[in-house]
Amino acid sequence: MGFQNTLYCKVLVLTCILLLLSIPLAGSSYLNFLACMALVYSIWALGYNLLLGYTGLLSFGHGAYFGLGAYTVAILTTRYSIQSLPVVLGTAILVSTFFGTIIGYLCARHVAKYFALLTLAFSQLFYALTFKLYKWTGGSDGIGVKPLKLLGLEFSGIGDTVSYYYLVLLFFLLSLYTSWRIVNSPFGKALQAIRDNPLKAESIGIPVKRYKWYAFIVSTVYSGLAGALYAPLFGHVVPDLFHFSFSGEVLFATLLGGHRIFIGPVIGAIVFTIARSYITAVTIYWPLVLGLLLVIVALFFPHGVIGTLYTTLKGRFRRL
Amino acid sequence: MRGILVTKSLTKFFGGFKAVDNVNLTLHEGTVTSIVGPNGAGKTTLLNMISGVVKPSSGRIYFMGRDITGLPVHKIVRMGIARGFQIPCVCSNLTTLDNVRVAVLSRMGKLCNMFKLVDGDGEVYSKATEILKTFGLYDKRDLLAQDLSHGDRKLLDIAMAFALEPKLILLDEPTSGVSSSEKNRIMKTVEKVIREKGITALIVEHDMDIVFSYSDRIIVMYDGKIIADGEPEEIMSDRRIESLLLGCERL
Ligand SMILES: Nc1ncnc2c1ncn2[C@@H]1O[C@H](COP(=O)(O)OP(=O)(O)O)[C@@H](O)[C@H]1O
Ligand SMILES: [Mg+2]
C-alpha cells in the first residue's frame, strides 16, 4: 500500500507511460502492430484477472467475450457499413457484456462447483454457433473488418499503425486506471475477501454469489473492449476466437505475469506476445511450446514469473 | 418478556445422526448466555443453524419476531446476527486493517462501490482503527492476516464480528487454542464491548472459570439436547453437570 504512494512509484509509472508513448518513434510498423497486440491482450488480461486473481474464479471461457466484441465490430463494419468508432466500440462492449451478464449469472450464481467447466461449455457453444450462423459470421472463413472512423480519420492495424497504436494505448491506459480503481475500491476489497474466504465473506454480510456475478460482468466489459480493438488490428476475425484454447491464452498470460500482482497480467501479456512472435517465426509447434511453457511456469513459478521473482528478491533483500 | 432469539424444536440430522435434538431456546435482550458441553454435543451445529450456515432438518428460528429459518447467511448478518468461528476464519491475504475495513464497509452498506478508493474513506478508517485498538490489533494493522499468530487471528475473527455492530453475537469457543493469559484478555475485552453496547451474546466456552465469571445464564448441551439451563450458581452446584464438564475439560 505504501509503495503506491511513494515518489519512486510515481517516477516508475511516468517512465513506463513515456516509454509506451515513444514506441512509434522507432518507425517500425511491425513493432507498432506487436505493441498493439500486447496492449490488447493486456486489457483482456486485466479484466480477466479481476476474476482470477481478485475473486479467485477460474474461467476457461473468456475467449467468448473477446470473440463477441471482435465479431460485433466485424459484422457492424462489413455487413452494415457502420464504422463510427464510438458507435462500433460501444456496441461491441454492450454485446459482450450482455452475454457476460446472462452467462455470468448462470455460472456464478447457480453452479459454483462447476464454474470453470460451465464457462468453457458456453464458449464452445459460441464456437459452434459461429459455424451455424455462417450468413452472419462467414463460418470457418470468418469475416473481414473495415477500419473505424472518427473525425475524418481512419483507424485500423492495416492502414496507419501509428494512429491505431495511440488509440489502443489510450484504451489500455484507461483500462489500467479503472481496474486499479476497482481493485482498491470497497467492491474490490469485497472480491478479495470472497477469494480468501467465501464463508467469512458471507458471514460479514457480503452476498457472495451476487458479487461473483458482478465481477464476471465487469471482466467481460474488458474482454469485449479488447476483442473490439483486436478486430480492426487484424482486419479479419475467425471462429478460433471462441475456441477454448484461445481462452487459455489469457489464462496463460495472466499466470505468466502473476495473478497476485496488479500489474502481473500486463507484464504477462507483453512477454507472451513477444515470445509468440519469436517462437512462431522459428517453429510451427507454437501450441506445443505454449504447453511446455505453461508446465514450467506452473512448476517453477507458482506466483507467476514476476510474482516469484518479486518474492525471491524481497527475500534476498531481507536477508542482507 | 419476549426473546430476541427464539428457536422452536430445532433439529439437525447429518445422515442418520442427530447432531442437534429438539432444541427450544429463548434468549433475552442484553443477556450473556454460555453454552457448555462435551465435544460433539452439537454446540457448533446449533450456532451454524442460527447463523444460517447449516439449514435445520426441522424446527424454526425467530429473530426479533421474524422467522429467519433458511435465510441466506448474508441476510441474517444484515438483520443483526454476527458470528465468530471456532477455527479462526479470516481473509488471509488481506491486511488486518482491510479485514476489519471490509466488515465496517459491509455494515455501512458501502461495499458495492467500484469507483471510490477504500483508502480515501476517513469515516471507515476511523471506525476500523477504533475496533483494532479495542482488540489490541492496531499495531499489527498492516500485517497480512496469514502472518498473525493463532491468538491474533482469533481476535481478528471476533473483531470483525463486532465491527458489524450486531444486536446478537454468537461466539464459538473464542478462547480455544489460546494461552491462558491471553484467554482472560480476550474475554475481558469481549465482555466489556458486549456490556457497553448492550449486545445479546451466545457464547460456547470450555473454561468453566471464565464461563462462571461473565455469564448471566448457562446452558448445558449433551448429545444434541439441552440437559440443563439456569443461572451460573445453579449450574455449578449441580453435581451431575460437574462430573460431565470435568470429563470434557480433560478432552
Ligand atoms: N457437516 C457435518 N457432517 C456430518 N457430521 C457433522 C457435521 N458437522 C458436525 N457433525 C457431527 O455432529 C456432531 C456435533 O458436532 P458439533 O456441533 O461440531 O459439536 P460441538 O461443537 O459441540 O463439539 C459431531 O458428532 C460431529 O461429528
Ligand atoms: Mg464446536
Side-chain angles (χ1 to χ4, degrees):
Chain A
M1 200 181 297
F3 177 74
Q4 281 162 9
N5 301 321
T6 54
L7 185 67
Y8 172 66
C9 177
K10 278 180 189 149
V11 170
L12 194 70
V13 170
L14 215 66
T15 315
C16 287
I17 291 176
L18 282 177
L19 213 67
L20 286 171
L21 279 170
S22 60
I23 281 180
L25 294 181
S28 151
S29 50
Y30 180 64
L31 180 66
N32 293 344
F33 174 82
L34 215 60
C36 283
M37 205 59 229
L39 293 185
V40 164
Y41 267 64
S42 296
I43 296 172
W44 191 20
L46 275 170
Y48 182 77
N49 201 40
L50 289 178
L51 216 52
L52 181 71
Y54 287 94
T55 320
L57 286 173
L58 174 62
S59 161
F60 281 127
H62 263 55
Y65 313 100
F66 188 100
L68 280 165
Y71 266 87
T72 305
V73 172
I75 290 170
L76 282 180
T77 55
T78 51
R79 298 263 191 271
Y80 297 97
S81 298
I82 299 169
Q83 289 175 266
S84 153
L85 188 143
V87 173
V88 171
L89 288 190
T91 315
I93 292 172
L94 274 181
V95 168
S96 64
T97 311
F98 172 75
F99 283 99
T101 306
I102 295 172
I103 296 169
Y105 182 85
L106 297 171
C107 295
R109 247 184 117 89
H110 285 304
V111 220
K113 264 191 208 162
Y114 304 110
F115 181 84
L117 209 60
L118 213 60
T119 54
L120 188 148
F122 276 112
S123 108
Q124 288 303 95
L125 193 70
F126 282 110
Y127 182 64
L129 276 176
T130 45
F131 292 100
K132 284 272 170 250
L133 303 172
Y134 63 90
K135 275 195 182 133
W136 270 35
T137 62
S140 57
D141 295 338
I143 34 174
V145 184
K146 286 196 202 140
L148 304 176
K149 287 180 181 163
L150 183 69
L151 306 169
L153 289 171
E154 285 205 345
F155 291 92
S156 83
I158 313 297
D160 176 21
T161 50
V162 176
S163 60
Y164 201 72
Y165 172 75
Y166 282 120
L167 179 75
V168 173
L169 180 60
L170 176 73
F171 279 107
F172 165 73
L173 292 175
L174 211 66
S175 302
L176 195 68
Y177 179 68
T178 52
S179 59
W180 183 80
R181 291 287 297 212
I182 292 173
V183 162
N184 291 290
S185 73
F187 178 72
K189 294 287 176 195
L191 295 186
Q192 292 161 60
I194 292 170
R195 170 198 68 198
D196 282 359
N197 197 330
L199 174 64
K200 186 63 179 186
E202 190 88 32
S203 300
I204 54 172
I206 302 174
V208 170
K209 284 180 184 170
R210 184 138 51 92
Y211 274 47
K212 282 182 177 174
W213 179 38
Y214 292 166
F216 196 97
I217 297 172
V218 174
S219 75
T220 58
V221 175
Y222 289 90
S223 299
L225 172 64
L229 292 170
Y230 169 93
L233 180 62
F234 268 82
H236 197 256
V237 294
V238 288
D240 284 355
L241 297 181
F242 293 106
H243 195 266
F244 73 86
S245 61
F246 187 63
S247 297
E249 291 190 6
V250 72
L251 170 64
F252 180 70
T254 307
L255 290 180
L256 189 66
H259 63 295
R260 285 305 174 128
I261 292 180
F262 174 72
I263 206 69
V266 174
I267 309 226
I270 293 170
V271 173
F272 178 85
T273 311
I274 295 170
R276 183 174 51 185
S277 83
Y278 276 103
I279 296 167
T280 43
V282 295
T283 168
I284 53 164
Y285 298 113
W286 161 246
L288 186 73
V289 177
L290 184 73
L292 276 175
L293 278 175
L294 190 56
V295 170
I296 293 169
V297 168
L299 284 180
F300 302 107
F301 299 92
H303 303 291
V305 175
I306 305 308
T308 307
L309 286 180
Y310 178 73
T311 350
T312 321
L313 286 179
K314 217 168 68 174
R316 286 272 157 75
F317 283 131
R318 224 179 252 165
R319 251 176 275 142
L320 281 176
Chain B
M1 198 158 68
R2 221 174 75 203
I4 186 169
L5 182 89
V6 178
T7 74
K8 292 227 165 100
S9 316
L10 209 54
T11 302
K12 179 68 195 180
F13 282 98
F14 289 114
F17 176 74
K18 221 182 219 180
V20 171
D21 188 358
N22 196 33
V23 165
N24 293 292
L25 177 68
T26 299
L27 295 184
H28 296 296
E29 199 160 354
T31 58
V32 178
T33 307
S34 292
I35 307 181
V36 297
N39 275 321
K43 308 179 295 291
T44 298
T45 306
L46 179 63
L47 295 201
N48 277 342
M49 285 195 282
I50 298 170
S51 58
V53 175
V54 163
K55 306 278 170 257
S57 306
S58 65
R60 315 240 37 111
I61 306 161
Y62 301 89
F63 178 61
M64 301 203 302
R66 280 197 283 176
D67 190 346
I68 59 163
T69 325
L71 284 184
V73 175
H74 66 89
K75 287 211 172 122
I76 293 177
V77 175
R78 286 285 153 85
M79 292 174 74
I81 303 182
R83 158 85 188 271
F85 290 83
Q86 185 170 350
I87 298 159
C89 193
V90 295
C91 302
S92 31
N93 289 301
L94 290 181
T95 61
T96 308
L97 173 63
D98 277 347
N99 267 282
V100 175
R101 267 206 295 210
V102 177
V104 171
L105 285 161
S106 170
R107 161 74 193 136
M108 296 170 83
K110 284 182 174 180
L111 262 186
C112 206
N113 192 329
M114 264 180 227
F115 304 105
K116 256 181 132 173
L117 294 178
V118 170
D119 286 338
D121 197 324
E123 196 187 353
V124 170
Y125 181 80
S126 61
K127 278 209 171 187
T129 47
E130 188 193 318
I131 289 159
L132 287 171
K133 280 177 185 158
T134 306
F135 286 89
L137 292 167
Y138 183 71
D139 295 337
K140 293 159 188 158
R141 64 190 179 281
D142 289 330
L143 288 183
L144 293 183
Q146 65 187 12
D147 296 332
L148 293 176
S149 69
H150 178 85
D152 283 338
R153 261 183 290 145
K154 197 98 201 184
L155 267 176
L156 178 56
D157 185 1
I158 297 167
M160 287 170 83
F162 277 106
L164 298 167
E165 298 177 3
K167 298 189 186 73
L168 168 66
I169 195 157
L170 313 169
L171 297 175
D172 199 350
E173 305 196 18
T175 67
S176 73
V178 174
S179 70
S180 32
S181 59
E182 283 264 281
K183 267 184 190 180
N184 282 310
R185 185 171 71 94
I186 294 181
M187 284 319 293
K188 284 245 160 62
T189 311
V190 166
E191 194 192 359
K192 189 167 147 265
V193 181
I194 286 174
R195 298 290 182 195
E196 256 172 24
K197 309 232 156 114
I199 300 170
T200 314
L202 183 61
I203 303 173
V204 175
E205 181 56 70
H206 275 312
D207 191 316
M208 286 313 288
D209 294 333
I210 290 184
V211 168
F212 192 73
S213 68
Y214 68 74
S215 308
D216 299 320
R217 172 185 173 195
I218 297 176
I219 289 169
V220 185
M221 273 185 88
Y222 187 77
D223 260 355
K225 289 190 259 298
I226 293 181
I227 57 161
D229 179 350
E231 289 184 7
E233 289 77 9
E234 280 173 62
I235 300 291
M236 296 301 270
S237 58
D238 190 328
R239 301 234 30 133
R240 186 174 55 111
I241 290 159
E242 196 182 15
S243 62
L244 189 99
L245 294 174
L246 278 176
C248 96
E249 258 178 30
R250 248 184 272 119
L251 282 174

